[in-house]
Amino acid sequence: MVIATTITDSKEELHSTFASRYARTSLPKFVMPEQAISKDAAYQIINDELMLDGNPRLNLASFVTTWMEPECDKLIMASLNKNYVDMDEYPVTTELQNRCVNMIAHLFHAPVQVDETAIGVGTVGSSEAIMLAGLAFKRKWQARRRSEGKPCDKPNIVTGANVQVCWEKFAKYFEVELKEVKLRKDYYIMDPVKAVEMVDENTICVATILGSTLTGEFEDVKLLNELLVKRNKETGWNTPIHVDAASGGFIAPFIYPDLEWDFRLPLVKSINVSGHKYGLVYAGVGWVVWRSQDDLPEDLVFHINYLGSDQPTFTLNFSKGSSQIIAQYYQFIRLGFEGYKNIMETCMSNARVLKEGLEKMGRFEIISKDVGVPLVAFSLKNSSKHTVFEISESLRRYGWIVPAYTMPPDAEEVAVLRAVIREDFSRSLAERLTSDIEKVLKQIEALPPRISTRAAHLISTRDTHLIGSVSDTPVATEELERSVRESQSQVAMECRNAGREKVSGVC
Amino acid sequence: MVLSKIGSESDVSVHSTFASRYVRHSLPRSKMGENSMPKDAAYQIINDELMLDGNPRLNLASFVTTWMEPECNKLMMDSINKNYVDMDEYPVTTDLQNRCVNIIANLFNAPLEDGEAGVGVGTVGSSEAIMLAGLAFKRKWQNRRRAEGKPFDKPNIVTGANVQVCWEKFANYFEVELKEVKLREGYYVMDPVKAVELVDENTICVAAILGSTLNGEFEDVKLLNDLLLEKNKLTGWDTSIHVDAASGGFIAPFLYPELEWDFRLPLVKSINVSGHKYGLVYAGIGWIIWRNKEDLPEELIFHINYLGADQPTFTLNFSKGSSQIIAQYYQLIRLGYEGYKNIMENCHENAMVLKEGLESTGRFNIVSKDNGVPLVAFSLKDNLRYNEFEISDMLKRFGWIVPAYTMPPDAQHVTVLRVVIRQDFSRTLAERLVIDINKVIKQLDALPRNSLLIKVELSGEEKPKRTPLEIQKDITDTWKKFVMAKKPKLVC
């Protein structure tokens, strides 16, 4: 009898994934492993480790879309392998981008004729959009200064201190000075009067936010425009405005159509909006639109000839996926104006429900305004014993991610919690969050105050990550550290001794 | 008898998509529509229009991955709603990125201790990676010049003319002068000797390419390193090297492990590689690795505090999807060294099969080298009757997308066709492509002679006798102008 053996290894393929050796070995973290492993094992291992990531839909810190319809998921999957930049090979995808640009330009009342193409481009997010807009302003300003025979080596940009980190990045990477208008207690956005005062001959533009990250407020672009028009008349500097409508750009046109913040104001030359925020698409798409051809210097644009017609491109990224652009177009035609309006109205309504639920508890002060991005920012009326940071931590045990952070200068003593209401945050979730916050308050109150409030603020600021803002508060002094350590060990002991109620984790 | 009527008209939602009114109306193109439409209709309409896009897998122009295993597709879809930048909320995803950086740094022989973290970051592609690398070089150079009390307003970068467009973008947007080493016929990469000659005190770095877009060649980074070391000794300028290994970075370590091109060479300070090329992930991921902390100026890094631990970030993009990063880690552990090696060897094999098939037609010169990125760049031996652009056009009718382009200066008279061999380009497809190219040649041969050529020949009595090379150049120029009017700039 001849027995022929072909496979040397004992039938690895037969093993159920968790029976195989793969579940027993440590995953490579530093060096590429020598051998391949089966795809099922690779899938299972990675999938399992990822279970420990937060649940995107319970992440109330983020404005970025976390749910789309299955039909759209299908379109996204089908186009995962399309490299967007291959405009010649994927002409339809390119055209879908152009249609989106046109639609958004019209939504923002760009002065575009009926059959004229709007000037704009799809980007990976508002960061790229802002860098492109900033670059256009910088180049225009340099050209103007050069023609006037004046120095052009010290450009600056005027914004509020509530600005998102990508403006700081733009300033640093493209060598533009950032002149920030400081905030103050109860006024957490850029003051147009102060902003215009800061404008000088080196200012390439004033950047205003429609939908501040911190409180969701809309800045008063109309007032800024009026003041700046006056100033420009006096100085002859012709300083323009850029509106960072990352969040607000897909809210204002539907809920506040009479609010003048876009190209209806003559000094607004470019606007960016995140497709992946209230544009209702997954992370990875933003849009920037310019008022007209003049506002985008030609020497920044690379030209691609596409079957006879010219396709200008001006992006930082080159190869990238096509999925999000197709998804954006899906949302535009699927929802239309009425669809977006309905969704935004629902978000505002759910935000109100949450706000009222919090007000009823009598412990919170609502910092966010009713008009703005649908979010609720709230602080504790009395934070001498317990802080919002503790509430944020405790809420995590219920599965909610609600960030706590301190305001930028000059309002650093104010600490807030912020819950962003996205499309997929239904009323039942709003009610559940309210009841969980109530539970958390009860639990925290039963505990002794952990550490002095000031220390809590400082330490929590050092330890907590704020999405979209870098807040660097000075480190606590040595004395404070010591008292912190003492208090912490005291609390730890009390917790060990006291019988604590078991809190259920995330289901 | 009572007849009760339930609905007034039959309910819209009952209609099959193609029976509904939605397929009768023109889709909004410039203004958002007033009304919503059912999701099935929206899906169907967009899906159908997209049928007219090219088939990504038959797009032989691109280096970018067009196929991944279904298990990986599943992981990608599951993480499509994760915003990568939320490091606090998705610590595991962040950890996966860090592991990828470490693995790639070690693959490139970065001088790291055991268990030491690599210095690098995941980007959206090599463009972002290159801009970050360039920014680091620029800032380092500026700091050094400032410390020396010298002017720092005219930085420049030395590269070859074969460089990819993102270098031109970097130079334009970040106000750095681009000093290009011109190519010449038969030598389509950057000449290290000429490059080093172009270096001056304002040079922030010399950028070498491992895997030129045009013909897949690896530039001689070792020679560049040696020559630059010598020059640095003479001048004291301390100019360093960046290696654009967008394509080659995931090929050389597996096929040519002895080739010294990476951090083994002391002057190489940063390397970028595209995860979405031979990293075998879909479009949307690149990697940039620095030799060590000193090569990345601290002032460019933004710090985000993550539950007490510091997470430095230095990227142009902020919010972006997590799918590709997870997919990259999947590939690295799924394939391992042997898996990548096998795939690259297969690609190389299939490239040879295609090359031999083309050679056996007797009509083509092979412009690409055997060593390098697995692609075949070829030009017609005789392009008086018809040229490479026509072949490219005809191949489209068979479904293949094979781009034709002319070389950059000073080799603009040379036109090539280029086929990139990706992971999913099997031998069967290679053989089929050869068959189809043969068909195309037969068809073109049967056509009457090019009318343009006749025009050139007839006007010959007033002009001096022109050499074949001149005639060839004329025709190429004319065709180039005609086709360039409808052809895009070359995309890698």
Side-chain angles (χ1 to χ4, degrees):
Chain A
M1 186 167 75
V2 177
I3 302 175
T5 24
T6 28
I7 305 165
T8 45
D9 198 337
S10 77
K11 316 149 197 84
E12 268 303 332
E13 277 117 56
L14 290 183
H15 287 175
S16 120
T17 303
F18 289 109
S20 75
R21 58 183 169 85
Y22 303 119
R24 229 180 297 151
T25 43
S26 172
L27 266 194
K29 296 184 210 284
F30 290 96
V31 182
M32 193 183 270
E34 272 303 315
Q35 295 180 310
I37 63 176
S38 79
K39 43 195 184 130
D40 311 291
Y43 166 79
Q44 198 63 51
I45 296 172
I46 295 181
N47 182 61
D48 292 355
E49 224 185 326
L50 286 174
M51 290 195 301
L52 293 161
D53 266 347
N55 178 348
R57 293 196 52 199
L58 294 179
N59 176 7
L60 304 186
S62 178
F63 295 87
V64 175
T65 298
T66 46
W67 179 87
M68 292 191 86
E69 287 172 329
E71 284 73 9
C72 194
D73 281 350
K74 202 154 171 251
L75 278 174
I76 288 177
M77 198 52 226
S79 57
L80 267 183
N81 65 351
K82 266 191 205 170
N83 182 3
Y84 174 75
V85 80
D86 278 345
M87 294 174 189
D88 192 42
E89 276 71 62
Y90 311 123
V92 178
T93 307
T94 307
E95 208 193 306
L96 294 191
Q97 187 226 220
N98 293 345
R99 289 183 206 170
C100 287
V101 168
N102 286 336
M103 288 185 189
I104 294 173
H106 272 109
L107 197 65
F108 295 166
H109 301 94
V112 182
Q113 302 305 325
V114 173
D115 50 358
E116 207 186 322
T117 26
I119 311 290
V121 76
T123 62
V124 163
S126 275
S127 290
E128 185 185 359
I130 279 163
M131 289 185 190
L132 296 178
L135 204 42
F137 280 120
K138 186 182 179 196
R139 207 46 75 87
K140 263 204 110 176
W141 173 83
Q142 284 171 329
R144 196 170 69 237
R145 295 283 285 182
R146 238 176 246 129
S147 69
E148 291 171 0
K150 297 197 180 133
C152 57
D153 56 327
K154 287 194 182 347
N156 69 56
I157 190 168
V158 174
T159 71
N162 57 329
V163 96
Q164 207 254 15
V165 72
C166 67
W167 284 100
E168 297 174 47
K169 278 187 177 176
F170 164 70
K172 181 162 276 192
Y173 298 165
F174 290 87
E175 288 156 12
V176 174
E177 185 198 342
L178 196 65
K179 293 175 86 169
E180 286 186 334
V181 178
K182 298 259 179 285
L183 314 179
R184 54 183 185 274
K185 189 154 195 275
D186 296 329
Y187 196 92
Y188 304 117
I189 51 175
M190 179 173 82
D191 185 339
V193 176
K194 293 213 173 119
V196 173
E197 279 169 24
M198 283 179 119
V199 168
D200 60 31
E201 54 172 342
N202 289 318
T203 304
I204 65 175
C205 82
V206 180
T208 176
I209 303 183
L210 197 80
S212 167
T213 316
L214 305 171
T215 55
E217 261 181 273
F218 290 167
E219 290 180 355
D220 195 341
V221 192
K222 187 160 203 265
L223 178 58
L224 176 66
N225 181 78
E226 283 163 13
L227 295 172
L228 201 50
V229 164
K230 255 181 27 208
R231 183 91 192 266
N232 282 344
K233 264 211 198 84
E234 293 162 17
T235 59
W237 289 335
N238 215 353
T239 319
I241 296 174
H242 172 89
V243 183
D244 176 0
S247 316
F250 275 114
I251 294 172
F254 304 109
I255 312 224
Y256 312 108
D258 300 315
L259 181 72
E260 283 180 41
W261 64 274
D262 52 17
F263 292 119
R264 283 168 284 182
L265 303 169
L267 284 184
V268 173
K269 303 300 185 188
S270 50
I271 302 176
N272 70 280
V273 65
S274 283
H276 55 224
K277 292 185 181 125
Y278 290 94
L280 307 176
V281 181
Y282 294 129
V285 66
W287 302 94
V288 58
V289 186
W290 282 272
R291 188 186 200 85
S292 67
Q293 194 88 54
D294 292 323
D295 298 299
L296 182 53
E298 189 58 30
D299 64 340
L300 288 174
V301 180
F302 285 81
H303 285 270
I304 289 188
N305 291 323
Y306 159 50
L307 295 173
S309 64
D310 175 56
Q311 179 75 26
T313 116
F314 174 39
T315 53
L316 296 179
N317 297 296
F318 195 65
S319 292
K320 64 186 182 190
S322 314
S323 300
Q324 286 91 342
I325 293 190
I326 293 171
Q328 179 78 87
Y329 187 68
Y330 173 92
Q331 292 289 52
F332 283 159
I333 69 167
R334 156 50 171 154
L335 296 169
F337 195 92
E338 69 167 339
Y340 270 95
K341 184 158 179 277
N342 289 340
I343 289 174
M344 298 312 152
E345 280 173 352
T346 305
C347 290
M348 297 302 259
S349 162
N350 290 334
R352 254 194 308 277
V353 165
L354 180 62
K355 184 186 100 159
E356 280 157 18
L358 291 170
E359 279 174 330
K360 262 210 206 87
M361 292 182 218
R363 313 289 295 284
F364 295 110
E365 205 178 306
I366 308 293
I367 308 263
S368 50
K369 306 273 187 290
D370 278 348
V371 174
V373 173
L375 61 80
V376 184
F378 50 106
S379 61
L380 276 169
K381 283 185 180 161
N382 174 1
S383 43
S384 54
K385 295 219 181 81
H386 301 281
T387 67
V388 292
F389 299 95
E390 291 177 64
I391 297 182
S392 171
E393 272 176 52
S394 306
L395 274 173
R396 272 209 193 211
R397 282 185 246 153
Y398 287 86
W400 301 103
I401 298 169
V402 181
Y405 51 90
T406 50
M407 290 296 197
D410 289 327
E412 303 98 315
E413 73 277 11
V414 184
V416 294
L417 285 153
R418 179 190 75 193
V420 177
I421 311 300
R422 292 191 300 273
E423 172 191 12
D424 56 344
F425 187 76
S426 63
R427 183 177 176 135
S428 17
L429 286 178
E431 288 170 349
R432 182 168 277 277
L433 175 61
T434 313
S435 76
D436 284 349
I437 289 179
E438 242 175 326
K439 281 192 201 138
V440 159
L441 271 178
K442 277 205 189 68
Q443 284 166 13
I444 289 181
E445 250 127 51
L447 292 174
R450 282 216 230 146
I451 31 189
S452 73
T453 312
R454 191 164 146 260
H457 267 25
L458 291 171
I459 289 164
S460 298
T461 323
R462 194 190 67 206
D463 288 357
T464 304
H465 154 53
L466 166 65
I467 305 293
S469 155
V470 174
S471 45
D472 254 321
T473 335
V475 175
T477 60
E478 204 191 294
E479 193 189 280
L480 205 52
E481 284 286 359
R482 218 181 320 127
S483 76
V484 160
R485 279 198 295 276
E486 281 167 17
S487 314
Q488 276 177 330
S489 52
Q490 182 191 351
V491 172
M493 265 210 304
E494 288 191 35
C495 286
R496 254 205 310 274
N497 298 339
R500 273 204 321 183
E501 197 185 298
K502 180 147 197 279
V503 177
S504 62
V506 181
C507 52
Chain B
M1 187 165 75
V2 175
L3 284 170
S4 42
K5 260 175 127 173
I6 310 173
S8 46
E9 296 270 359
S10 58
D11 201 347
V12 164
S13 60
V14 160
H15 287 177
S16 122
T17 304
F18 288 108
S20 75
R21 57 184 171 82
Y22 299 111
V23 294
R24 231 178 293 150
H25 295 160
S26 178
L27 265 194
R29 272 156 224 274
S30 58
K31 260 188 111 166
M32 199 184 264
E34 272 303 314
N35 299 326
S36 310
M37 69 161 78
K39 42 193 186 137
D40 313 292
Y43 167 79
Q44 198 64 50
I45 295 173
I46 295 181
N47 182 63
D48 292 356
E49 225 185 325
L50 287 174
M51 288 195 302
L52 293 162
D53 265 347
N55 178 347
R57 293 195 51 199
L58 294 180
N59 175 7
L60 304 184
S62 178
F63 293 88
V64 176
T65 298
T66 46
W67 179 89
M68 292 191 85
E69 285 173 332
E71 284 74 6
C72 192
N73 285 344
K74 193 152 180 271
L75 276 175
M76 289 186 81
M77 264 334 275
D78 287 343
S79 57
I80 199 107
N81 64 351
K82 266 192 205 170
N83 181 2
Y84 174 75
V85 80
D86 279 345
M87 294 174 193
D88 194 38
E89 277 71 60
Y90 312 123
V92 178
T93 306
T94 307
D95 199 25
L96 294 191
Q97 189 227 221
N98 294 343
R99 289 182 207 171
C100 287
V101 167
N102 292 337
I103 291 176
I104 296 173
N106 275 303
L107 193 66
F108 295 166
N109 298 295
L112 296 171
E113 302 298 325
D114 254 347
E116 193 188 333
V119 181
V121 76
T123 63
V124 163
S126 275
S127 289
E128 185 185 0
I130 278 164
M131 289 183 190
L132 297 178
L135 204 44
F137 278 119
K138 185 182 182 199
R139 201 51 69 90
K140 263 203 109 176
W141 174 82
Q142 283 171 330
N143 290 341
R144 197 169 67 234
R145 296 283 285 181
R146 214 177 272 129
E148 293 170 2
K150 296 193 182 144
F152 50 89
D153 55 326
K154 287 189 181 349
N156 69 55
I157 189 168
V158 173
T159 72
N162 56 329
V163 94
Q164 207 256 11
V165 71
C166 66
W167 284 101
E168 296 172 48
K169 276 187 179 180
F170 165 71
N172 187 348
Y173 299 164
F174 290 87
E175 290 155 10
V176 175
E177 184 199 342
L178 198 65
K179 292 175 86 169
E180 287 185 334
V181 178
K182 300 257 178 280
L183 314 180
R184 52 183 188 273
E185 192 179 343
Y187 196 91
Y188 304 116
V189 291
M190 177 174 81
D191 185 340
V193 176
K194 295 218 175 113
V196 174
E197 277 169 27
L198 281 181
V199 168
D200 61 30
E201 54 175 338
N202 289 317
T203 304
I204 65 174
C205 81
V206 181
I209 304 183
L210 197 77
S212 167
T213 317
L214 304 171
N215 62 357
E217 247 185 281
F218 290 166
E219 288 180 356
D220 195 340
V221 192
K222 187 162 204 286
L223 179 58
L224 176 66
N225 181 78
D226 295 340
L227 294 174
L228 199 51
L229 268 175
E230 258 173 48
K231 182 146 185 191
N232 282 343
K233 264 208 200 88
L234 293 169
T235 59
W237 290 334
D238 208 17
T239 321
S240 34
I241 297 174
H242 173 87
V243 182
D244 176 0
S247 317
F250 272 110
I251 295 171
F254 306 108
L255 290 183
Y256 315 107
E258 279 83 42
L259 182 72
E260 282 180 41
W261 64 273
D262 53 16
F263 292 119
R264 282 168 283 180
L265 302 170
L267 285 183
V268 173
K269 305 299 184 191
S270 49
I271 302 175
N272 69 282
V273 66
S274 284
H276 55 223
K277 292 184 182 124
Y278 290 93
L280 306 176
V281 182
Y282 293 130
I285 175 132
W287 301 95
I288 171 79
I289 311 283
W290 282 274
R291 188 185 198 86
N292 52 44
K293 280 207 186 66
E294 280 79 54
D295 298 300
L296 179 52
E298 186 64 27
E299 64 204 74
L300 290 173
I301 305 178
F302 284 83
H303 286 267
I304 289 185
N305 292 324
Y306 157 51
L307 294 173
D310 174 56
Q311 180 84 18
T313 120
F314 173 41
T315 52
L316 297 179
N317 297 296
F318 194 65
S319 291
K320 64 186 183 192
S322 314
S323 299
Q324 286 90 343
I325 292 188
I326 293 171
Q328 178 78 83
Y329 187 67
Y330 173 93
Q331 292 290 53
L332 290 175
I333 68 163
R334 156 40 172 167
L335 297 169
Y337 193 91
E338 70 167 339
Y340 270 95
K341 184 157 176 280
N342 288 340
I343 288 173
M344 299 311 153
E345 278 173 353
N346 283 353
C347 288
H348 184 77
E349 264 298 307
N350 291 333
M352 293 300 106
V353 164
L354 179 63
K355 185 187 102 163
E356 278 149 21
L358 292 170
E359 278 174 333
S360 66
T361 65
R363 305 294 203 93
F364 298 108
N365 286 326
I366 306 295
V367 178
S368 50
K369 306 271 185 295
D370 278 357
N371 285 354
V373 174
L375 59 82
V376 184
F378 51 104
S379 59
L380 280 167
K381 283 185 180 163
D382 165 16
N383 59 2
L384 293 178
R385 292 185 52 109
Y386 50 81
N387 57 39
E388 290 84 355
F389 293 100
E390 292 176 81
I391 296 187
S392 170
D393 269 357
M394 297 279 281
L395 274 173
K396 272 217 182 158
R397 284 188 237 163
F398 287 86
W400 301 104
I401 299 169
V402 179
Y405 52 91
T406 50
M407 290 295 196
D410 290 326
Q412 306 95 309
H413 54 282
V414 182
T415 314
V416 292
L417 287 150
R418 181 190 75 192
V419 173
V420 177
I421 311 296
R422 290 191 300 275
Q423 171 191 194
D424 57 344
F425 187 77
S426 63
R427 180 171 179 140
T428 341
L429 288 178
E431 288 170 349
R432 180 165 280 277
L433 177 59
V434 172
I435 291 171
D436 287 347
I437 288 179
N438 269 308
K439 282 190 197 143
V440 162
I441 291 177
K442 275 203 188 65
Q443 285 174 11
L444 286 171
D445 278 344
L447 288 176
R449 295 184 77 193
N450 194 320
S451 55
L452 288 167
L453 174 60
I454 294 169
K455 194 168 165 210
V456 167
E457 282 189 336
L458 285 179
S459 62
E461 54 262 6
E462 279 155 290
K463 301 196 175 127
K465 189 102 166 84
R466 302 155 102 236
T467 67
L469 186 63
E470 283 171 330
I471 298 178
Q472 189 178 325
K473 190 161 192 281
D474 251 359
I475 295 174
T476 309
D477 280 347
T478 314
W479 259 104
K480 182 182 154 195
K481 275 197 215 95
F482 169 65
V483 179
M484 275 307 172
K486 62 175 181 123
K487 258 231 173 290
K489 195 165 170 129
L490 181 70
V491 168
C492 61

